[in-house]
Amino acid sequence: MKNKSLIQLAGLLGALAVGIGAFGAHGLQPLLESHGRIDTFETGVKYHFYHALAMLAVGIWSGFQPDRKWLKPALWSFLVGIIIFSGSLYILSLTGISWLGAITPLGGVAFILGWFFIILAANIDKA
């Protein structure tokens, strides 16, 4: 994926985080309150936003150092984390389907791996 595409993807995910958060705070509040899941929804939005910003940083970094092979795995890990972690929390919050809580940690592991890939990208010279 090219640097421009990485930055565009991060921008799209950031815009989605803001939109989902705003819609949750205003349009979905009664539904979230009925399921007792406002905090869960907000956690999904926070991690979604944090990792959209991390993806933006990776996109910018890859523009300066495109040979850093660990940057792409970091990006994909953050994307998978957003989909699984935040996505499962959104669905859990809106539907009350509790078994989704069992897959949420897989998204958390993807986030953690993404940060470890950042460490590798910073420490291994063009590897």
Side-chain angles (χ1 to χ4, degrees), residues 22-39:
F23 188 58
H26 302 289
L28 298 175
Q29 188 170 4
L31 179 62
L32 294 171
E33 286 174 349
S34 73
H35 290 165
R37 297 290 187 172
I38 291 175
D39 291 341

Side-chain angles (χ1 to χ4, degrees), residues 84-99:
I84 296 174
F85 184 88
S86 295
S88 67
L89 291 182
Y90 296 151
I91 295 169
L92 170 65
S93 299
L94 297 172
T95 66
I97 299 173
S98 60
W99 66 264

